[in-house]
Amino acid sequence: MIKGCIFDLDGVVVDTAKYHYLAWKRLANELGFEFTEKDNERLKGVSRMKSLEILLEIGNLSFDEETKLKLAEKKNNWYVQYISKMDESEILPGVKEFLSQLKENGYKIALGSVSKNAMIILENTNLKQYFDAIIDGNKVTKAKPDPEVFLKGAEELNLKPEECIVFEDAIAGIEAARRANMKVVGVGSKEILKDADMVIEGFKNVSVDIIKAL
Ligand code: G1P
Ligand code: MG
């Protein structure tokens, strides 16, 4: 029986996937190459340093560790600038209503994101109150597709993995949920998220009945 829901943050709860993309693209352009939205799918759900590795592979570039840390910091500073002006208007449509419904129906709610910026986003958007457990990039050592982030989420909710479902917009996140032995709802495009148990466009008009339909 499903007793809990674990939500990815960027691109599922808030519209921040676009800011990650803009900041990575800015870095790529500064390094002299193009970075498309299709390339960006590979970075979703992946840690900051691993994202940089993939980006540099696309640009056919390699740097020493010290330079890589500087590049990652540069991207993060731009990203933090973009999200510093964030407020409740950037919560994706239907998300607050869905979270409230889950609460009313006794489901537990966790955040499962590998971003180190998750907490400031939850604070700026006033969403922290909805979560019984918050797992972010500061609490895990392995990013998605490793299942660690979701297994920790279940553990902090005091639930078994099979009692949880995951909501994800990243290919790496869908794989992580599968490896955690959890059902997964893809949020986004059916073509990209084909390995999910079900795909929704977003949470507008989505009710808790979706859990029974899985
Ligand atoms: C990191 C990565 C980013 C990835 C995101 C997933 O965020 O930088 O590429 O899409 O996680 O949520 P950061 O810790 O830099 O905020
Ligand atoms: Mg995401």
Side-chain angles (χ1 to χ4, degrees), residues 23-40:
W24 284 125
K25 186 175 159 63
R26 190 164 163 187
L27 187 67
N29 293 163
E30 205 180 273
L31 292 168
F33 63 94
E34 271 316 311
F35 179 64
T36 66
E37 287 201 49
K38 189 165 176 270
D39 294 330
N40 188 53

Side-chain angles (χ1 to χ4, degrees), residues 7-14 16-17 20 43-46 112-114 144 167-171 173 187:
F7 290 84
D8 170 51
L9 178 69
D10 297 317
V12 170
V13 170
V14 284
T16 42
H20 277 298
L43 270 58
K44 288 186 179 174
V46 170
S113 166
V114 302
K144 302 162 189 173
F167 292 90
E168 253 300 344
D169 72 321
I171 299 167
V187 183

Side-chain angles (χ1 to χ4, degrees), residues 15-65:
D15 204 8
T16 42
K18 65 178 183 206
Y19 295 134
H20 277 298
Y21 172 59
L22 282 179
W24 284 125
K25 186 175 159 63
R26 190 164 163 187
L27 187 67
N29 293 163
E30 205 180 273
L31 292 168
F33 63 94
E34 271 316 311
F35 179 64
T36 66
E37 287 201 49
K38 189 165 176 270
D39 294 330
N40 188 53
E41 290 301 323
R42 293 177 61 198
L43 270 58
K44 288 186 179 174
V46 170
S47 71
R48 191 179 303 166
M49 290 314 285
K50 179 73 188 160
S51 294
L52 178 70
E53 297 285 347
I54 299 172
L55 187 97
L56 294 178
E57 186 194 302
I58 292 166
N60 242 321
L61 292 170
S62 62
F63 294 103
D64 58 38
E65 274 317 301

Side-chain angles (χ1 to χ4, degrees), residues 148-193:
E148 183 186 10
V149 58
F150 296 139
L151 291 174
K152 277 219 163 121
E155 197 183 304
E156 283 205 18
L157 291 179
N158 281 315
L159 297 176
K160 295 190 199 109
E162 58 273 24
E163 291 174 327
C164 300
I165 57 170
V166 169
F167 292 90
E168 253 300 344
D169 72 321
I171 299 167
I174 307 263
E175 189 186 329
R178 290 218 161 282
R179 283 164 65 180
N181 198 20
M182 297 173 186
K183 286 251 166 78
V184 53
V185 177
V187 183
S189 117
K190 273 202 176 85
E191 287 74 54
I192 296 170
L193 307 173

Side-chain angles (χ1 to χ4, degrees), residues 54-108:
I54 299 172
L55 187 97
L56 294 178
E57 186 194 302
I58 292 166
N60 242 321
L61 292 170
S62 62
F63 294 103
D64 58 38
E65 274 317 301
E66 202 190 322
T67 313
K68 281 198 273 193
L69 284 171
K70 282 200 183 121
L71 293 173
E73 193 188 327
K74 199 170 202 184
K75 178 267 174 181
N76 192 57
N77 288 340
W78 287 327
Y79 178 71
V80 168
Q81 237 177 55
Y82 296 148
I83 60 168
S84 66
K85 299 172 203 95
M86 250 185 113
D87 59 24
E88 292 190 33
S89 67
E90 287 187 75
I91 300 172
L92 287 163
V95 166
K96 265 170 100 169
E97 293 75 6
F98 186 60
L99 292 173
S100 301
Q101 257 198 60
L102 287 174
K103 279 226 163 307
E104 280 159 24
N105 286 273
Y107 290 101
K108 290 189 184 169

